[in-house]
Amino acid sequence: MDTATHFVMGIGLAGLAYTDPAVAEDPKLAAVILIATVIGSQAPDFDTLFRLKNNAAYIRNHRGLSHSIPFWLIWILSITGLICLIFRDVPAGHVALWVTIAVCLHVFTDLFNTYGTQAFRPFTDKWISWNIIHIFDPFIFGTHVAAIMLWITGLIPPTPLFITLYVALGLYYIWRTWSHFRLKNRVRDMDDERQQGDNYYIIPTVSWNRWHVVKAHQNGSYDIGGLNGKHLFWTKHAVPSTHPAAEASKSYRDVQAFRYFSSFAVAEVEELEWGYIVRWADVRYRHRKQYPFVAVVTMDKQFRLIKSYIGWLSHEKMQKRLSLHTN
């Protein structure tokens, strides 16, 4: 999920903690638990600091090791230890319990997004992305904000309020998971052009009724389209370039990071008088007929690097960032 959603979920867990009698009876412990759950809900994303190094390091590492099984324990012990060091008279067991819930809930909810995590390291380095919930879900965020406001104003006690909220969210996740499974099978049946061996990926949007659809062919090409209600449509056929410039670009840092993260990377090559522009795009992310998550490399005729970039940019901003003038 996005940072704002993880933040409100941290506050929501502090409200849910009132189901613990020790928290409900001790205002100081309740305040400490609030600090603990907010920090715990953010901790796995502390790898955002890799941005200070470069975008390639960030893309390669974000939601990677910091979300892995060993780091669950590291976050829990370090956060609990720090809080108990500052607030020496609070019961460590209660703090550890709610930090554990916050950290694990963060990782668990991230698995439902398209971006994915390496949550099952060290057993596998595979990026796990279940493509069920958009990275920003208005329902999840909105219900948390509403519950927090009701709690702050004192209209509803926290225990019944947040029990109701999290039961509702549990049912919401079950419903979205079932809907995704059902729609994936429906798309396969709706597609009159399906071929043997085709794999379908249903990508969530902020709307419950609209999904991006990616059809992966066995030859490495993709059909990109969408599902709007009951209407399936295709907008683009993407074929990975076999141009030598595309192959040469794989040796550069930004492209290596991009291909490490994405299993849906497609390269396009533009040949110019002075050299080549190689654009790698992740076909899962399509917005307004563009692919905002890209790695772009400019090379001379001998495939020597001129400039490169990896990250989230529109086509126009990318042209400006790399000072490209191809018209």
Side-chain angles (χ1 to χ4, degrees):
M1 308 304 293
D2 67 305
T3 300
T5 301
H6 283 309
F7 178 73
V8 296
M9 291 183 80
I11 298 175
L13 289 177
L16 186 65
Y18 278 80
T19 56
D20 182 342
V23 176
E25 295 170 3
D26 186 347
K28 181 180 179 180
L29 177 59
V32 171
I33 293 297
L34 172 61
I35 296 171
T37 54
V38 169
I39 295 175
S41 291
Q42 297 293 328
D45 282 347
F46 287 167
D47 59 9
T48 301
L49 293 173
F50 277 105
R51 283 188 185 275
L52 299 176
K53 184 176 182 180
N54 54 62
N55 274 5
Y58 171 73
I59 295 297
R60 180 180 284 272
N61 291 285
H62 182 50
R63 291 193 177 186
L65 187 62
S66 68
H67 286 59
S68 67
I69 294 173
F71 261 77
W72 301 355
L73 185 60
I74 291 173
W75 295 128
I76 293 165
L77 292 177
S78 59
I79 295 170
T80 301
L82 179 61
I83 288 176
C84 290
L85 184 64
I86 298 172
F87 304 97
R88 295 180 180 273
D89 57 343
V90 298
H94 293 275
V95 175
L97 170 64
W98 289 101
V99 171
T100 299
I101 293 172
V103 169
C104 292
L105 186 63
H106 176 122
V107 176
F108 179 70
T109 55
D110 279 353
L111 290 169
F112 285 81
N113 304 150
T114 300
Y115 197 97
T117 79
Q118 290 181 312
F120 299 138
R121 289 177 67 174
F123 302 108
T124 176
D125 289 345
K126 183 179 179 181
W127 289 90
I128 310 297
S129 52
W130 291 336
N131 300 322
I132 294 171
I133 305 288
H134 193 266
I135 194 168
F136 175 78
D137 186 290
F139 179 78
I140 296 173
F141 182 80
T143 52
H144 272 88
V145 170
I148 292 168
M149 295 303 295
L150 290 171
W151 179 24
I152 292 174
T153 56
L155 294 175
I156 302 178
T159 299
L161 176 61
F162 287 98
I163 288 177
T164 301
L165 172 64
Y166 281 97
V167 169
L169 287 176
L171 294 174
Y172 177 70
Y173 269 83
I174 292 171
W175 171 64
R176 290 299 302 272
T177 301
W178 170 247
S179 295
H180 180 269
F181 174 78
R182 180 174 53 85
L183 287 172
K184 186 174 182 179
N185 290 330
R186 179 188 294 178
V187 165
R188 187 185 305 274
D189 295 336
M190 292 171 63
D191 185 16
D192 295 331
E193 301 176 1
R194 66 182 180 275
Q195 302 172 15
Q196 186 175 1
D198 286 345
N199 285 318
Y200 294 82
Y201 300 89
I202 314 300
I203 312 298
T205 69
V206 293
S207 171
W208 292 342
N209 295 319
R210 296 193 185 104
W211 301 73
H212 295 309
V213 180
V214 176
K215 178 169 62 174
H217 298 288
Q218 287 186 315
N219 63 4
S221 66
Y222 298 92
D223 286 328
I224 300 101
L227 182 66
N228 190 350
K230 296 182 179 180
H231 175 55
L232 175 67
F233 57 92
W234 303 108
T235 57
K236 183 178 177 64
H237 181 63
V239 180
S241 175
T242 58
H243 194 285
E247 187 63 30
S249 71
K250 295 178 183 179
S251 64
Y252 295 116
R253 180 192 66 191
D254 287 344
V255 172
Q256 289 175 346
F258 189 87
R259 297 181 71 243
Y260 174 77
F261 167 77
S262 175
S263 300
F264 296 82
V266 174
E268 293 182 347
V269 177
E270 183 177 358
E271 187 169 355
L272 303 168
E273 291 183 1
W274 48 265
Y276 307 95
I277 303 173
V278 183
R279 297 180 177 87
W280 289 85
D282 188 317
V283 298
R284 293 174 299 174
Y285 303 103
R286 183 174 172 85
H287 180 65
R288 296 179 179 175
K289 301 182 180 180
Q290 295 184 12
Y291 299 95
F293 181 44
V294 294
V296 179
V297 175
T298 60
M299 298 179 290
D300 63 19
K301 287 294 186 179
Q302 287 72 47
F303 305 131
R304 291 180 299 224
L305 179 67
I306 299 174
K307 287 184 178 181
S308 70
Y309 178 83
I310 181 174
W312 299 81
L313 283 179
S314 68
H315 179 72
E316 292 76 14
K317 290 182 179 179
M318 180 65 67
Q319 297 286 100
K320 183 177 180 180
R321 173 66 66 92
L322 295 177
S323 301
L324 300 176
H325 303 285
T326 59
N327 293 331

